[in-house]
PDB file of all heavy atoms in Angstrom:
ATOM      1  N   LEU A   1       0.888  -1.128  -0.049  1.00 38.00           N
ATOM      2  CA  LEU A   1       0.004   0.009   0.013  1.00 38.00           C
ATOM      3  C   LEU A   1       0.861   1.245  -0.003  1.00 38.00           C
ATOM      4  O   LEU A   1       0.640   2.191  -0.750  1.00 38.00           O
ATOM      5  CB  LEU A   1      -0.866  -0.065   1.225  1.00 38.00           C
ATOM      6  CG  LEU A   1      -1.761   1.253   1.422  1.00 38.00           C
ATOM      7  CD1 LEU A   1      -2.702   1.428   0.222  1.00 38.00           C
ATOM      8  CD2 LEU A   1      -2.650   1.172   2.667  1.00 38.00           C
ATOM      9  N   ILE A   2       1.920   1.302   0.790  1.00 37.00           N
ATOM     10  CA  ILE A   2       2.789   2.422   0.827  1.00 37.00           C
ATOM     11  C   ILE A   2       3.501   2.555  -0.486  1.00 37.00           C
ATOM     12  O   ILE A   2       3.639   3.665  -1.003  1.00 37.00           O
ATOM     13  CB  ILE A   2       3.876   2.268   2.043  1.00 37.00           C
ATOM     14  CG1 ILE A   2       3.091   2.243   3.392  1.00 37.00           C
ATOM     15  CG2 ILE A   2       4.979   3.262   1.935  1.00 37.00           C
ATOM     16  CD1 ILE A   2       4.045   1.905   4.456  1.00 37.00           C
ATOM     17  N   ALA A   3       3.936   1.450  -1.059  1.00 39.00           N
ATOM     18  CA  ALA A   3       4.610   1.589  -2.393  1.00 39.00           C
ATOM     19  C   ALA A   3       3.621   2.091  -3.339  1.00 39.00           C
ATOM     20  O   ALA A   3       4.126   3.033  -4.174  1.00 39.00           O
ATOM     21  CB  ALA A   3       5.080   0.216  -2.822  1.00 39.00           C
ATOM     22  N   ARG A   4       2.424   1.750  -3.482  1.00 41.00           N
ATOM     23  CA  ARG A   4       1.446   2.339  -4.332  1.00 41.00           C
ATOM     24  C   ARG A   4       1.203   3.759  -4.155  1.00 41.00           C
ATOM     25  O   ARG A   4       1.099   4.506  -5.120  1.00 41.00           O
ATOM     26  CB  ARG A   4       0.150   1.543  -4.313  1.00 41.00           C
ATOM     27  CG  ARG A   4       0.125   0.140  -4.793  1.00 41.00           C
ATOM     28  CD  ARG A   4      -1.239  -0.375  -5.082  1.00 41.00           C
ATOM     29  NE  ARG A   4      -2.049  -0.569  -3.837  1.00 41.00           N
ATOM     30  CZ  ARG A   4      -2.130  -1.589  -3.110  1.00 41.00           C
ATOM     31  NH1 ARG A   4      -1.227  -2.675  -3.393  1.00 41.00           N
ATOM     32  NH2 ARG A   4      -2.815  -1.629  -2.019  1.00 41.00           N
ATOM     33  N   ILE A   5       1.132   4.167  -2.869  1.00 35.00           N
ATOM     34  CA  ILE A   5       1.091   5.603  -2.618  1.00 35.00           C
ATOM     35  C   ILE A   5       2.211   6.418  -3.062  1.00 35.00           C
ATOM     36  O   ILE A   5       2.038   7.484  -3.744  1.00 35.00           O
ATOM     37  CB  ILE A   5       0.734   5.868  -1.069  1.00 35.00           C
ATOM     38  CG1 ILE A   5      -0.562   5.222  -0.655  1.00 35.00           C
ATOM     39  CG2 ILE A   5       0.760   7.323  -0.761  1.00 35.00           C
ATOM     40  CD1 ILE A   5      -0.822   5.209   0.839  1.00 35.00           C
ATOM     41  N   LEU A   6       3.396   5.846  -2.819  1.00 34.00           N
ATOM     42  CA  LEU A   6       4.599   6.563  -3.257  1.00 34.00           C
ATOM     43  C   LEU A   6       4.685   6.669  -4.793  1.00 34.00           C
ATOM     44  O   LEU A   6       5.032   7.729  -5.377  1.00 34.00           O
ATOM     45  CB  LEU A   6       5.784   5.879  -2.796  1.00 34.00           C
ATOM     46  CG  LEU A   6       6.172   6.067  -1.255  1.00 34.00           C
ATOM     47  CD1 LEU A   6       7.270   5.074  -0.779  1.00 34.00           C
ATOM     48  CD2 LEU A   6       6.440   7.454  -0.835  1.00 34.00           C
ATOM     49  N   LEU A   7       4.383   5.614  -5.518  1.00 39.00           N
ATOM     50  CA  LEU A   7       4.347   5.616  -6.924  1.00 39.00           C
ATOM     51  C   LEU A   7       3.419   6.657  -7.503  1.00 39.00           C
ATOM     52  O   LEU A   7       3.668   7.225  -8.452  1.00 39.00           O
ATOM     53  CB  LEU A   7       4.082   4.161  -7.468  1.00 39.00           C
ATOM     54  CG  LEU A   7       5.224   3.210  -7.269  1.00 39.00           C
ATOM     55  CD1 LEU A   7       4.826   1.718  -7.669  1.00 39.00           C
ATOM     56  CD2 LEU A   7       6.431   3.566  -8.060  1.00 39.00           C
ATOM     57  N   ALA A   8       2.218   6.608  -6.946  1.00 42.00           N
ATOM     58  CA  ALA A   8       1.163   7.563  -7.356  1.00 42.00           C
ATOM     59  C   ALA A   8       1.660   8.989  -7.131  1.00 42.00           C
ATOM     60  O   ALA A   8       1.541   9.801  -7.989  1.00 42.00           O
ATOM     61  CB  ALA A   8      -0.124   7.299  -6.561  1.00 42.00           C
ATOM     62  N   GLY A   9       2.369   9.313  -6.084  1.00 42.00           N
ATOM     63  CA  GLY A   9       2.946  10.574  -5.822  1.00 42.00           C
ATOM     64  C   GLY A   9       3.903  11.004  -6.826  1.00 42.00           C
ATOM     65  O   GLY A   9       3.958  12.134  -7.267  1.00 42.00           O
ATOM     66  N   LEU A  10       4.753  10.104  -7.124  1.00 35.00           N
ATOM     67  CA  LEU A  10       5.794  10.314  -8.021  1.00 35.00           C
ATOM     68  C   LEU A  10       5.228  10.568  -9.433  1.00 35.00           C
ATOM     69  O   LEU A  10       5.775  11.458 -10.203  1.00 35.00           O
ATOM     70  CB  LEU A  10       6.824   9.125  -8.100  1.00 35.00           C
ATOM     71  CG  LEU A  10       7.762   8.942  -6.866  1.00 35.00           C
ATOM     72  CD1 LEU A  10       8.573   7.601  -7.022  1.00 35.00           C
ATOM     73  CD2 LEU A  10       8.718  10.164  -6.838  1.00 35.00           C
ATOM     74  N   ALA A  11       4.206   9.926  -9.833  1.00 40.00           N
ATOM     75  CA  ALA A  11       3.530  10.075 -11.106  1.00 40.00           C
ATOM     76  C   ALA A  11       2.973  11.533 -11.232  1.00 40.00           C
ATOM     77  O   ALA A  11       3.101  12.090 -12.285  1.00 40.00           O
ATOM     78  CB  ALA A  11       2.497   8.975 -11.409  1.00 40.00           C
ATOM     79  N   CYS A  12       2.277  11.850 -10.130  1.00 39.00           N
ATOM     80  CA  CYS A  12       1.751  13.209 -10.108  1.00 39.00           C
ATOM     81  C   CYS A  12       2.732  14.238 -10.164  1.00 39.00           C
ATOM     82  O   CYS A  12       2.575  15.242 -10.929  1.00 39.00           O
ATOM     83  CB  CYS A  12       0.844  13.358  -8.844  1.00 39.00           C
ATOM     84  SG  CYS A  12      -0.591  12.375  -8.689  1.00 39.00           S
ATOM     85  N   ALA A  13       3.814  14.090  -9.499  1.00 36.00           N
ATOM     86  CA  ALA A  13       4.861  15.087  -9.541  1.00 36.00           C
ATOM     87  C   ALA A  13       5.496  15.225 -10.916  1.00 36.00           C
ATOM     88  O   ALA A  13       5.743  16.199 -11.327  1.00 36.00           O
ATOM     89  CB  ALA A  13       6.041  14.684  -8.509  1.00 36.00           C
ATOM     90  N   ALA A  14       5.652  14.087 -11.573  1.00 37.00           N
ATOM     91  CA  ALA A  14       6.194  14.067 -12.943  1.00 37.00           C
ATOM     92  C   ALA A  14       5.274  14.718 -13.868  1.00 37.00           C
ATOM     93  O   ALA A  14       5.768  15.384 -14.776  1.00 37.00           O
ATOM     94  CB  ALA A  14       6.482  12.565 -13.453  1.00 37.00           C
ATOM     95  N   ALA A  15       3.943  14.496 -13.766  1.00 39.00           N
ATOM     96  CA  ALA A  15       2.916  15.106 -14.607  1.00 39.00           C
ATOM     97  C   ALA A  15       2.976  16.583 -14.472  1.00 39.00           C
ATOM     98  O   ALA A  15       2.746  17.386 -15.361  1.00 39.00           O
ATOM     99  CB  ALA A  15       1.599  14.585 -14.321  1.00 39.00           C
ATOM    100  N   GLY A  16       3.257  17.089 -13.166  1.00 39.00           N
ATOM    101  CA  GLY A  16       3.188  18.399 -13.027  1.00 39.00           C
ATOM    102  C   GLY A  16       4.586  19.155 -13.280  1.00 39.00           C
ATOM    103  O   GLY A  16       4.549  20.460 -13.346  1.00 39.00           O
ATOM    104  N   ALA A  17       5.616  18.415 -13.442  1.00 38.00           N
ATOM    105  CA  ALA A  17       6.878  19.055 -13.666  1.00 38.00           C
ATOM    106  C   ALA A  17       6.994  19.618 -15.048  1.00 38.00           C
ATOM    107  O   ALA A  17       6.352  19.043 -15.957  1.00 38.00           O
ATOM    108  CB  ALA A  17       8.048  17.954 -13.420  1.00 38.00           C
ATOM    109  N   PRO A  18       7.736  20.751 -15.244  1.00 40.00           N
ATOM    110  CA  PRO A  18       7.904  21.183 -16.570  1.00 40.00           C
ATOM    111  C   PRO A  18       8.530  20.256 -17.525  1.00 40.00           C
ATOM    112  O   PRO A  18       9.525  19.687 -17.150  1.00 40.00           O
ATOM    113  CB  PRO A  18       8.720  22.517 -16.423  1.00 40.00           C
ATOM    114  CG  PRO A  18       9.414  22.288 -15.094  1.00 40.00           C
ATOM    115  CD  PRO A  18       8.465  21.426 -14.267  1.00 40.00           C
ATOM    116  N   ARG A  19       8.007  20.121 -18.678  1.00 46.00           N
ATOM    117  CA  ARG A  19       8.690  19.281 -19.660  1.00 46.00           C
ATOM    118  C   ARG A  19       9.842  19.938 -20.407  1.00 46.00           C
ATOM    119  O   ARG A  19       9.860  21.108 -20.600  1.00 46.00           O
ATOM    120  CB  ARG A  19       7.679  18.788 -20.693  1.00 46.00           C
ATOM    121  CG  ARG A  19       6.544  18.054 -20.086  1.00 46.00           C
ATOM    122  CD  ARG A  19       5.618  17.499 -21.264  1.00 46.00           C
ATOM    123  NE  ARG A  19       4.467  16.793 -20.597  1.00 46.00           N
ATOM    124  CZ  ARG A  19       3.588  16.233 -21.342  1.00 46.00           C
ATOM    125  NH1 ARG A  19       3.465  16.555 -22.736  1.00 46.00           N
ATOM    126  NH2 ARG A  19       2.555  15.500 -20.787  1.00 46.00           N
ATOM    127  N   ALA A  20      10.943  19.080 -20.688  1.00 48.00           N
ATOM    128  CA  ALA A  20      12.041  19.648 -21.432  1.00 48.00           C
ATOM    129  C   ALA A  20      11.600  19.944 -22.752  1.00 48.00           C
ATOM    130  O   ALA A  20      10.601  19.243 -23.328  1.00 48.00           O
ATOM    131  CB  ALA A  20      13.136  18.502 -21.424  1.00 48.00           C
ATOM    132  N   PRO A  21      12.118  20.908 -23.383  1.00 50.00           N
ATOM    133  CA  PRO A  21      11.730  21.334 -24.788  1.00 50.00           C
ATOM    134  C   PRO A  21      12.180  20.206 -25.690  1.00 50.00           C
ATOM    135  O   PRO A  21      13.102  19.423 -25.573  1.00 50.00           O
ATOM    136  CB  PRO A  21      12.532  22.613 -25.150  1.00 50.00           C
ATOM    137  CG  PRO A  21      13.659  22.527 -24.076  1.00 50.00           C
ATOM    138  CD  PRO A  21      13.173  21.887 -22.827  1.00 50.00           C
ATOM    139  N   PRO A  22      11.338  20.000 -26.800  1.00 56.00           N
ATOM    140  CA  PRO A  22      11.442  18.880 -27.662  1.00 56.00           C
ATOM    141  C   PRO A  22      12.826  19.073 -28.550  1.00 56.00           C
ATOM    142  O   PRO A  22      13.241  20.099 -28.795  1.00 56.00           O
ATOM    143  CB  PRO A  22      10.316  18.961 -28.587  1.00 56.00           C
ATOM    144  CG  PRO A  22       9.890  20.345 -28.534  1.00 56.00           C
ATOM    145  CD  PRO A  22      10.083  20.762 -27.186  1.00 56.00           C
ATOM    146  N   ALA A  23      13.410  17.846 -28.822  1.00 58.00           N
ATOM    147  CA  ALA A  23      14.621  18.003 -29.647  1.00 58.00           C
ATOM    148  C   ALA A  23      14.176  18.082 -31.135  1.00 58.00           C
ATOM    149  O   ALA A  23      13.107  17.750 -31.456  1.00 58.00           O
ATOM    150  CB  ALA A  23      15.442  16.805 -29.410  1.00 58.00           C
ATOM    151  N   GLY A  24      15.176  18.479 -31.934  1.00 70.00           N
ATOM    152  CA  GLY A  24      14.883  18.386 -33.435  1.00 70.00           C
ATOM    153  C   GLY A  24      15.073  19.786 -34.028  1.00 70.00           C
ATOM    154  O   GLY A  24      15.767  20.618 -33.562  1.00 70.00           O
ATOM    155  N   GLY A  25      14.080  20.049 -34.926  1.00 82.00           N
ATOM    156  CA  GLY A  25      14.174  21.329 -35.699  1.00 82.00           C
ATOM    157  C   GLY A  25      13.098  21.352 -36.582  1.00 82.00           C
ATOM    158  O   GLY A  25      12.197  20.623 -36.555  1.00 82.00           O
ATOM    159  N   GLY A  26      13.218  22.212 -37.653  1.00 92.00           N
ATOM    160  CA  GLY A  26      12.193  22.127 -38.652  1.00 92.00           C
ATOM    161  C   GLY A  26      12.365  23.367 -39.654  1.00 92.00           C
ATOM    162  O   GLY A  26      13.262  24.156 -39.536  1.00 92.00           O
ATOM    163  N   GLU A  27      11.296  23.544 -40.409  1.00 94.00           N
ATOM    164  CA  GLU A  27      11.182  24.553 -41.427  1.00 94.00           C
ATOM    165  C   GLU A  27       9.976  25.321 -41.406  1.00 94.00           C
ATOM    166  O   GLU A  27       8.953  24.610 -41.075  1.00 94.00           O
ATOM    167  CB  GLU A  27      11.430  24.026 -42.878  1.00 94.00           C
ATOM    168  CG  GLU A  27      12.864  23.491 -43.053  1.00 94.00           C
ATOM    169  CD  GLU A  27      12.994  22.852 -44.518  1.00 94.00           C
ATOM    170  OE1 GLU A  27      11.991  22.756 -45.218  1.00 94.00           O
ATOM    171  OE2 GLU A  27      14.137  22.640 -44.868  1.00 94.00           O
ATOM    172  N   GLY A  28       9.826  26.553 -41.663  1.00 94.00           N
ATOM    173  CA  GLY A  28       8.492  27.188 -41.632  1.00 94.00           C
ATOM    174  C   GLY A  28       8.583  28.388 -42.608  1.00 94.00           C
ATOM    175  O   GLY A  28       9.627  28.914 -43.072  1.00 94.00           O
ATOM    176  N   ASP A  29       7.408  28.895 -42.802  1.00 95.00           N
ATOM    177  CA  ASP A  29       7.053  30.087 -43.700  1.00 95.00           C
ATOM    178  C   ASP A  29       5.797  30.668 -43.307  1.00 95.00           C
ATOM    179  O   ASP A  29       5.223  30.302 -42.301  1.00 95.00           O
ATOM    180  CB  ASP A  29       7.311  29.817 -45.135  1.00 95.00           C
ATOM    181  CG  ASP A  29       6.310  28.644 -45.584  1.00 95.00           C
ATOM    182  OD1 ASP A  29       5.263  28.517 -45.009  1.00 95.00           O
ATOM    183  OD2 ASP A  29       6.700  27.901 -46.482  1.00 95.00           O
ATOM    184  N   GLN A  30       5.351  31.666 -44.032  1.00 96.00           N
ATOM    185  CA  GLN A  30       4.113  32.342 -43.723  1.00 96.00           C
ATOM    186  C   GLN A  30       2.882  31.376 -43.847  1.00 96.00           C
ATOM    187  O   GLN A  30       1.880  31.874 -43.189  1.00 96.00           O
ATOM    188  CB  GLN A  30       3.885  33.442 -44.779  1.00 96.00           C
ATOM    189  CG  GLN A  30       3.638  33.067 -46.188  1.00 96.00           C
ATOM    190  CD  GLN A  30       4.883  32.655 -46.991  1.00 96.00           C
ATOM    191  OE1 GLN A  30       6.085  32.833 -46.472  1.00 96.00           O
ATOM    192  NE2 GLN A  30       4.766  32.132 -48.274  1.00 96.00           N
ATOM    193  N   ARG A  31       2.987  30.247 -44.308  1.00 94.00           N
ATOM    194  CA  ARG A  31       1.806  29.279 -44.372  1.00 94.00           C
ATOM    195  C   ARG A  31       1.701  28.620 -42.964  1.00 94.00           C
ATOM    196  O   ARG A  31       0.646  28.029 -42.754  1.00 94.00           O
ATOM    197  CB  ARG A  31       2.073  28.195 -45.397  1.00 94.00           C
ATOM    198  CG  ARG A  31       2.058  28.749 -46.806  1.00 94.00           C
ATOM    199  CD  ARG A  31       2.433  27.706 -47.915  1.00 94.00           C
ATOM    200  NE  ARG A  31       3.844  27.388 -47.686  1.00 94.00           N
ATOM    201  CZ  ARG A  31       4.410  26.507 -48.437  1.00 94.00           C
ATOM    202  NH1 ARG A  31       3.842  25.886 -49.417  1.00 94.00           N
ATOM    203  NH2 ARG A  31       5.826  26.189 -48.294  1.00 94.00           N
ATOM    204  N   VAL A  32       2.675  28.654 -42.193  1.00 91.00           N
ATOM    205  CA  VAL A  32       2.566  27.894 -40.874  1.00 91.00           C
ATOM    206  C   VAL A  32       2.853  28.841 -39.664  1.00 91.00           C
ATOM    207  O   VAL A  32       3.152  28.434 -38.567  1.00 91.00           O
ATOM    208  CB  VAL A  32       3.521  26.785 -40.760  1.00 91.00           C
ATOM    209  CG1 VAL A  32       3.041  25.688 -41.815  1.00 91.00           C
ATOM    210  CG2 VAL A  32       4.992  27.177 -41.163  1.00 91.00           C
ATOM    211  N   GLY A  33       2.660  30.198 -39.986  1.00 95.00           N
ATOM    212  CA  GLY A  33       2.858  31.081 -38.783  1.00 95.00           C
ATOM    213  C   GLY A  33       2.859  32.473 -39.143  1.00 95.00           C
ATOM    214  O   GLY A  33       2.419  32.920 -40.276  1.00 95.00           O
ATOM    215  N   SER A  34       3.245  33.317 -38.186  1.00 97.00           N
ATOM    216  CA  SER A  34       3.271  34.877 -38.513  1.00 97.00           C
ATOM    217  C   SER A  34       4.488  35.448 -38.041  1.00 97.00           C
ATOM    218  O   SER A  34       5.205  35.041 -37.097  1.00 97.00           O
ATOM    219  CB  SER A  34       1.946  35.428 -37.718  1.00 97.00           C
ATOM    220  OG  SER A  34       2.235  35.305 -36.375  1.00 97.00           O
ATOM    221  N   LEU A  35       4.880  36.464 -38.729  1.00 98.00           N
ATOM    222  CA  LEU A  35       5.991  37.334 -38.365  1.00 98.00           C
ATOM    223  C   LEU A  35       5.565  38.720 -38.403  1.00 98.00           C
ATOM    224  O   LEU A  35       5.245  39.452 -39.470  1.00 98.00           O
ATOM    225  CB  LEU A  35       7.094  37.163 -39.370  1.00 98.00           C
ATOM    226  CG  LEU A  35       8.410  37.982 -39.143  1.00 98.00           C
ATOM    227  CD1 LEU A  35       9.059  37.766 -37.810  1.00 98.00           C
ATOM    228  CD2 LEU A  35       9.429  37.741 -40.281  1.00 98.00           C
ATOM    229  N   ARG A  36       5.430  39.310 -37.198  1.00 98.00           N
ATOM    230  CA  ARG A  36       4.765  40.717 -37.017  1.00 98.00           C
ATOM    231  C   ARG A  36       5.838  41.681 -36.386  1.00 98.00           C
ATOM    232  O   ARG A  36       6.922  41.232 -35.763  1.00 98.00           O
ATOM    233  CB  ARG A  36       3.490  40.622 -36.266  1.00 98.00           C
ATOM    234  CG  ARG A  36       2.521  39.787 -36.826  1.00 98.00           C
ATOM    235  CD  ARG A  36       1.145  39.622 -35.966  1.00 98.00           C
ATOM    236  NE  ARG A  36       1.530  38.818 -34.731  1.00 98.00           N
ATOM    237  CZ  ARG A  36       1.311  39.200 -33.513  1.00 98.00           C
ATOM    238  NH1 ARG A  36       0.896  40.355 -33.282  1.00 98.00           N
ATOM    239  NH2 ARG A  36       1.604  38.458 -32.523  1.00 98.00           N
ATOM    240  N   PHE A  37       5.507  42.979 -36.411  1.00 98.00           N
ATOM    241  CA  PHE A  37       6.294  43.950 -35.761  1.00 98.00           C
ATOM    242  C   PHE A  37       5.392  45.051 -35.244  1.00 98.00           C
ATOM    243  O   PHE A  37       4.292  45.229 -35.777  1.00 98.00           O
ATOM    244  CB  PHE A  37       7.398  44.449 -36.669  1.00 98.00           C
ATOM    245  CG  PHE A  37       6.885  45.221 -37.978  1.00 98.00           C
ATOM    246  CD1 PHE A  37       6.754  46.512 -37.798  1.00 98.00           C
ATOM    247  CD2 PHE A  37       6.616  44.571 -39.134  1.00 98.00           C
ATOM    248  CE1 PHE A  37       6.326  47.356 -38.920  1.00 98.00           C
ATOM    249  CE2 PHE A  37       6.138  45.264 -40.113  1.00 98.00           C
ATOM    250  CZ  PHE A  37       6.059  46.608 -40.187  1.00 98.00           C
ATOM    251  N   THR A  38       5.891  45.702 -34.263  1.00 98.00           N
ATOM    252  CA  THR A  38       5.225  46.982 -33.742  1.00 98.00           C
ATOM    253  C   THR A  38       6.158  48.111 -33.651  1.00 98.00           C
ATOM    254  O   THR A  38       7.427  47.948 -33.452  1.00 98.00           O
ATOM    255  CB  THR A  38       4.662  46.803 -32.240  1.00 98.00           C
ATOM    256  OG1 THR A  38       5.743  46.422 -31.474  1.00 98.00           O
ATOM    257  CG2 THR A  38       3.683  45.557 -32.293  1.00 98.00           C
ATOM    258  N   ALA A  39       5.711  49.284 -33.928  1.00 97.00           N
ATOM    259  CA  ALA A  39       6.490  50.509 -33.795  1.00 97.00           C
ATOM    260  C   ALA A  39       5.504  51.633 -33.513  1.00 97.00           C
ATOM    261  O   ALA A  39       4.224  51.452 -33.363  1.00 97.00           O
ATOM    262  CB  ALA A  39       7.016  50.783 -35.236  1.00 97.00           C
ATOM    263  N   ILE A  40       6.042  52.824 -33.302  1.00 96.00           N
ATOM    264  CA  ILE A  40       5.321  54.024 -32.872  1.00 96.00           C
ATOM    265  C   ILE A  40       5.295  55.039 -34.028  1.00 96.00           C
ATOM    266  O   ILE A  40       6.450  55.379 -34.520  1.00 96.00           O
ATOM    267  CB  ILE A  40       5.918  54.605 -31.595  1.00 96.00           C
ATOM    268  CG1 ILE A  40       5.894  53.587 -30.413  1.00 96.00           C
ATOM    269  CG2 ILE A  40       5.160  55.921 -31.237  1.00 96.00           C
ATOM    270  CD1 ILE A  40       4.525  53.130 -30.053  1.00 96.00           C
ATOM    271  N   GLN A  41       4.325  55.413 -34.387  1.00 94.00           N
ATOM    272  CA  GLN A  41       4.104  56.568 -35.430  1.00 94.00           C
ATOM    273  C   GLN A  41       3.188  57.691 -34.787  1.00 94.00           C
ATOM    274  O   GLN A  41       2.018  57.441 -34.422  1.00 94.00           O
ATOM    275  CB  GLN A  41       3.488  56.110 -36.717  1.00 94.00           C
ATOM    276  CG  GLN A  41       3.338  57.106 -37.824  1.00 94.00           C
ATOM    277  CD  GLN A  41       2.706  56.582 -39.179  1.00 94.00           C
ATOM    278  OE1 GLN A  41       2.144  55.489 -39.095  1.00 94.00           O
ATOM    279  NE2 GLN A  41       2.846  57.338 -40.075  1.00 94.00           N
ATOM    280  N   ALA A  42       3.655  58.889 -34.790  1.00 92.00           N
ATOM    281  CA  ALA A  42       2.795  59.987 -34.276  1.00 92.00           C
ATOM    282  C   ALA A  42       2.315  59.615 -32.864  1.00 92.00           C
ATOM    283  O   ALA A  42       1.164  60.070 -32.530  1.00 92.00           O
ATOM    284  CB  ALA A  42       1.587  60.298 -35.272  1.00 92.00           C
ATOM    285  N   GLY A  43       3.137  59.013 -32.013  1.00 92.00           N
ATOM    286  CA  GLY A  43       2.719  58.783 -30.630  1.00 92.00           C
ATOM    287  C   GLY A  43       1.774  57.537 -30.464  1.00 92.00           C
ATOM    288  O   GLY A  43       1.301  57.285 -29.331  1.00 92.00           O
ATOM    289  N   ALA A  44       1.427  56.891 -31.551  1.00 94.00           N
ATOM    290  CA  ALA A  44       0.422  55.765 -31.405  1.00 94.00           C
ATOM    291  C   ALA A  44       1.094  54.466 -32.008  1.00 94.00           C
ATOM    292  O   ALA A  44       1.974  54.560 -32.972  1.00 94.00           O
ATOM    293  CB  ALA A  44      -0.811  56.047 -32.136  1.00 94.00           C
ATOM    294  N   LYS A  45       0.888  53.374 -31.338  1.00 96.00           N
ATOM    295  CA  LYS A  45       1.440  52.137 -31.644  1.00 96.00           C
ATOM    296  C   LYS A  45       0.757  51.504 -32.980  1.00 96.00           C
ATOM    297  O   LYS A  45      -0.502  51.699 -33.064  1.00 96.00           O
ATOM    298  CB  LYS A  45       1.423  51.119 -30.680  1.00 96.00           C
ATOM    299  CG  LYS A  45       2.025  49.727 -31.006  1.00 96.00           C
ATOM    300  CD  LYS A  45       1.799  48.709 -29.948  1.00 96.00           C
ATOM    301  CE  LYS A  45       2.699  48.940 -28.823  1.00 96.00           C
ATOM    302  NZ  LYS A  45       2.694  47.722 -27.807  1.00 96.00           N
ATOM    303  N   PHE A  46       1.411  51.022 -33.999  1.00 96.00           N
ATOM    304  CA  PHE A  46       0.793  50.392 -35.023  1.00 96.00           C
ATOM    305  C   PHE A  46       1.577  48.892 -35.317  1.00 96.00           C
ATOM    306  O   PHE A  46       2.706  48.783 -34.793  1.00 96.00           O
ATOM    307  CB  PHE A  46       0.842  51.199 -36.410  1.00 96.00           C
ATOM    308  CG  PHE A  46       2.263  51.228 -36.923  1.00 96.00           C
ATOM    309  CD1 PHE A  46       2.595  50.314 -37.907  1.00 96.00           C
ATOM    310  CD2 PHE A  46       3.116  52.226 -36.627  1.00 96.00           C
ATOM    311  CE1 PHE A  46       3.937  50.341 -38.509  1.00 96.00           C
ATOM    312  CE2 PHE A  46       4.417  52.358 -37.211  1.00 96.00           C
ATOM    313  CZ  PHE A  46       4.808  51.396 -38.156  1.00 96.00           C
ATOM    314  N   THR A  47       0.855  48.116 -35.778  1.00 97.00           N
ATOM    315  CA  THR A  47       1.364  46.799 -36.083  1.00 97.00           C
ATOM    316  C   THR A  47       1.396  46.342 -37.591  1.00 97.00           C
ATOM    317  O   THR A  47       0.538  46.829 -38.297  1.00 97.00           O
ATOM    318  CB  THR A  47       0.415  45.714 -35.322  1.00 97.00           C
ATOM    319  OG1 THR A  47       0.368  45.931 -33.980  1.00 97.00           O
ATOM    320  CG2 THR A  47       0.928  44.284 -35.564  1.00 97.00           C
TER     321      THR A  47
END
């Protein structure tokens, strides 16, 4: 019973822990995301 409680606690802790970022890489362009910018013109922000 104690072992099961400890295992359950470890599982919950692992589930709540931050995950490491995934390995690998990839390619992208305007079809799979956005590239935006903001600046100030005449005292007002534009995008």
Side-chain angles (χ1 to χ4, degrees):
L1 176 60
I2 293 173
R4 288 198 296 272
I5 293 173
L6 288 173
L7 288 172
L10 289 172
C12 290
R19 296 182 179 180
E27 297 180 345
D29 53 32
Q30 66 281 352
R31 294 171 293 180
V32 293
S34 63
L35 176 59
R36 297 176 291 128
F37 65 92
T38 60
I40 301 296
Q41 180 182 14
K45 179 185 287 189
F46 73 92
T47 299

